[in-house]
Amino acid sequence: AFSPDGNTIATASADNTVKLWNFQEQEIKTLSGHKSGVISVAFSPDGKTIASASGDTTVKLWNFQEQEIKTFSGHKSEVLSVAFSPDGNTIATASADNTVKLWNLERPEIKTLTDHVDWVISVAFSPDGNTIATASWDNTVKLWNLQGQVIKTHSEHGSGVRSVAFSPDGNTIASASYDNTVKLWNLQEQVIKTHSEHGSGVNSIAFSPDGNTIASASDDNTVKLWNLQGQVIKTLTGHDKGVNSVAFSPDGNTIASASEDKTVKLWNLQGQVIETLTGHDKPVNSVAFSPDGKTIASASYDKTVKLWNFNLDDLLVRGCNWARDYLKYNAPEEDRRLCEGISSGE
């Protein structure tokens, strides 16, 4: 995970530690104290505190002086996901004990959310901080208020739900499942749309910054781009094995995908590969853009995190070089001027 200012990276490992790094590839700090593998790590919104979730059933809070501030104990099994509320005052933790717990930074556990009947894999706060979404192997997505009450249970998935995300405006929820689908839900009632064109389980979902496009990564070796009406805009094909993670750049013009084929690929919105990043020796599990969009971090089963530096203006030029003929002869009229004014670099 990146710190909010984009200058520090935290990595979580099965060697029981969290390490902090700067961009000179130097390890800044090692946070040692967990008794089992570290599964998830998150920065607080102000960037001053780090939360780590572990197989030792605890969540620890750390400062940048390598000091453990607090340990939250209470889960009865591995903690699989941790998230800060937007105001930074509350932490939500999802666990293999089938529960989600809410914690205050200064006090012990506030609430335990106990309506799931299988592992809770993913937890997310709405942008306004008033609603929590959880995804579980019990095939459901649940919405909760901060009092720990279930507002809504979405049970239309036919297999375990791996990922859940709120749209930037907070009005839509996307869920990704091993039933090969992505579903969109509103906050009040039913499924808005079901995206069902993947040929295998869906591992990761992301909203574009403007909220108009959804990217989904699947074991069918593809990334698909969808509009909110449930139509596939593009299918990104080029990976040789399943795709584990997908992310939009902050400006929304570039997509990064991480794959079992040991590569990270960068794509433009026309579905063309701009760059393939090779160097990992084992499958790449996760990919993320820094807040300024100039650096990509990729995490792999080869036990490394790699940082890649990019000039997004250069990527845009290269993407437009690929897309010019398509835009000129095939794109809708309103899209044909997208690359006007962008130098070809030739």
Side-chain angles (χ1 to χ4, degrees):
F2 278 93
S3 62
D5 64 9
N7 294 326
T8 305
I9 298 159
T11 57
S13 171
D15 69 5
N16 305 359
T17 71
V18 172
K19 292 180 183 289
L20 304 183
W21 316 76
N22 62 23
F23 281 90
Q24 288 69 52
E25 299 185 23
Q26 299 166 328
E27 180 184 321
I28 305 172
K29 295 289 182 181
T30 297
L31 311 183
S32 302
H34 280 298
K35 297 179 181 179
S36 187
V38 186
I39 299 170
S40 178
V41 64
F43 281 94
S44 62
D46 65 7
K48 296 179 180 179
T49 306
I50 298 153
S52 57
S54 172
D56 66 10
T57 74
T58 71
V59 171
K60 291 181 182 291
L61 301 184
W62 316 78
N63 61 24
F64 279 79
Q65 288 70 52
E66 203 174 342
Q67 297 168 326
E68 180 182 319
I69 303 169
K70 188 177 289 290
T71 297
F72 295 132
S73 301
H75 280 296
K76 297 178 180 178
S77 192
E78 300 96 324
V79 186
L80 304 174
S81 180
V82 60
F84 279 91
S85 61
D87 65 8
N89 293 328
T90 304
I91 295 171
T93 56
S95 173
D97 66 8
N98 306 353
T99 73
V100 171
K101 291 182 182 290
L102 304 182
W103 317 78
N104 183 279
L105 296 192
E106 304 300 329
R107 295 185 284 116
E109 173 191 334
I110 307 168
K111 293 287 182 182
T112 299
L113 317 185
T114 58
D115 209 49
H116 282 296
V117 295
D118 207 332
W119 289 19
V120 189
I121 305 298
S122 179
V123 61
F125 280 92
S126 61
D128 65 7
N130 293 326
T131 306
I132 299 163
T134 56
S136 171
W137 282 124
D138 67 10
N139 303 2
T140 70
V141 172
K142 292 181 183 289
L143 301 183
W144 316 72
N145 61 26
L146 297 184
Q147 289 70 51
Q149 300 165 323
V150 176
I151 305 168
K152 186 72 178 177
T153 296
H154 296 306
S155 55
E156 283 85 350
H157 277 298
S159 188
V161 189
R162 277 211 59 177
S163 182
V164 63
F166 280 92
S167 61
D169 64 8
N171 293 327
T172 306
I173 299 161
S175 56
S177 171
Y178 264 25
D179 67 6
N180 304 359
T181 71
V182 171
K183 292 183 183 289
L184 299 184
W185 321 75
N186 60 28
L187 297 187
Q188 293 78 34
E189 297 297 334
Q190 70 287 344
V191 177
I192 306 169
K193 292 290 178 182
T194 296
H195 304 341
S196 56
E197 294 196 25
H198 276 298
S200 192
V202 188
N203 296 314
S204 178
I205 48 174
F207 279 93
S208 61
D210 65 8
N212 292 327
T213 305
I214 297 164
S216 57
S218 171
D219 283 339
D220 67 7
N221 303 359
T222 72
V223 172
K224 290 184 183 291
L225 304 183
W226 316 77
N227 61 25
L228 297 186
Q229 289 70 49
Q231 300 164 322
V232 176
I233 306 168
K234 290 289 178 183
T235 297
L236 314 186
T237 58
H239 282 297
D240 296 327
K241 294 185 178 180
V243 188
N244 293 323
S245 179
V246 65
F248 279 92
S249 61
D251 66 6
N253 291 324
T254 306
I255 298 156
S257 57
S259 172
E260 291 284 315
D261 67 11
K262 307 177 188 178
T263 72
V264 171
K265 289 182 182 290
L266 302 182
W267 316 74
N268 61 25
L269 296 184
Q270 287 72 47
Q272 296 156 327
V273 176
I274 305 169
E275 189 79 40
T276 297
L277 312 181
T278 60
H280 282 295
D281 296 326
K282 289 188 177 181
V284 189
N285 190 49
S286 183
V287 64
F289 281 90
S290 62
D292 64 7
K294 295 180 179 179
T295 304
I296 294 168
S298 56
S300 169
Y301 289 114
D302 66 9
K303 304 180 183 178
T304 71
V305 172
K306 292 183 182 293
L307 303 182
W308 317 78
N309 291 318
F310 289 96
N311 182 323
L312 284 184
D313 291 334
D314 178 60
L315 285 179
L316 185 59
V317 168
R318 292 163 67 181
C320 280
N321 288 344
W322 275 97
R324 272 191 170 84
D325 285 343
Y326 169 83
L327 292 172
K328 183 176 181 180
Y329 298 110
N330 299 290
E333 183 66 33
E334 64 269 20
D335 290 341
R336 293 183 182 180
R337 300 179 181 272
L338 287 177
C339 283
E340 285 191 3
I342 297 174
S343 170
S344 67
E346 297 174 350

